């Protein structure tokens, strides 16, 4: 029964005909909606100009870099340690859901990055290669004596003065 319906009921492929492509792609008189001409160049000009706040930020950054470059390597290392300690305190404040400024994270991280960049520039001037630089950096990190950051010291001093005020 299945054999009788096999190929005889299905039309053969030569019996299927398709219209020629030229008739399918016939041109239409409809060209869509006409919109007034739009000139994007004024918008691009606005984006290309730097805003005054960006210029001020760049000037501050340049001043900060000049200030960083005046410091010695030892001073840079000390300040890097202090800022990393401050970052640690900010992370603790965030985890404890205390009040903190989220902008402090990016500001401190970028300051640390600038200091490390200046430090690496000085190494390049001295001819220190990348591999030796990493080795020296590891040695420096191992030699660090952990100190509480200045903000923690200030908190401890404030607590001690508050306790002294309560005791008297």
């Amino acid at each position: 029964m299945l054999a009788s319906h096999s190929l005889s009921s299905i039309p053969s492929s030569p019996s299927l005909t398709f219209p020629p492509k030229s008739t399918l792609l016939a041109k239409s008189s409809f060209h869509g909606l006409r919109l007034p001409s739009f000139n994007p160049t004024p918008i691009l000009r606005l984006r290309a100009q730097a805003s005054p706040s960006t210029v001020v930020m760049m000037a501050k950054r340049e001043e900060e870099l000049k200030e960083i470059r005046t410091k010695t390597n030892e001073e840079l290392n000390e300040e890097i340690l202090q800022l990393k300690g401050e970052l640690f305190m900010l992370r603790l404040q965030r985890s404890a859901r205390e009040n903190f400024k989220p902008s402090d994270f990016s500001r401190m991280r970028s300051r640390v990055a600038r200091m490390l960049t200046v430090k690496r520039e000085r190494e390049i001037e001295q001819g220190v290669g990348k591999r030796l630089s990493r080795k020296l950096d590891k040695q420096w990190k191992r030699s660090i004596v952990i100190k509480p950051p200045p903000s923690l010291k200030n908190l401890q001093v404030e607590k001690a003065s508050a306790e002294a005020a309560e005791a008297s």
Side-chain angles (χ1 to χ4, degrees), residues 32-108:
L33 297 175
R34 296 267 172 155
L35 297 174
S37 63
F38 178 70
N39 190 1
T41 54
I43 294 173
L44 293 177
R45 275 192 224 123
L46 289 176
R47 289 183 183 170
Q49 293 174 348
S51 65
S53 63
T54 309
V55 174
V56 171
M57 291 291 289
M58 292 174 69
K60 286 182 181 178
R61 200 174 305 141
E62 290 298 321
E63 285 179 22
E64 187 179 4
L65 274 173
K66 286 178 184 176
E67 174 196 335
I68 291 172
R69 286 193 170 108
T70 59
K71 296 182 179 184
T72 64
N73 283 343
E74 290 78 23
E75 291 172 346
L76 281 178
N77 289 339
E78 284 296 317
E79 193 163 351
I80 288 170
L81 287 177
Q82 286 179 357
L83 286 172
K84 286 191 174 189
E86 293 293 330
L87 278 169
F88 178 71
M89 290 302 296
L90 278 175
R91 284 195 299 271
L92 287 178
Q93 286 177 355
R94 181 175 59 186
S95 66
R97 297 184 182 187
E98 294 178 8
N99 290 337
F100 68 96
K101 291 184 189 175
S103 61
D104 287 345
F105 281 104
S106 60
R107 190 172 36 82
M108 285 186 194

Side-chain angles (χ1 to χ4, degrees), residues 8 11 24 56 76 93 109 113 127-128 135 149 151-152 155 165:
S8 60
L24 286 176
V56 171
L76 281 178
Q93 286 177 355
R109 268 192 243 124
V128 176
K135 186 177 179 181
S151 63
L152 183 62
L155 286 174

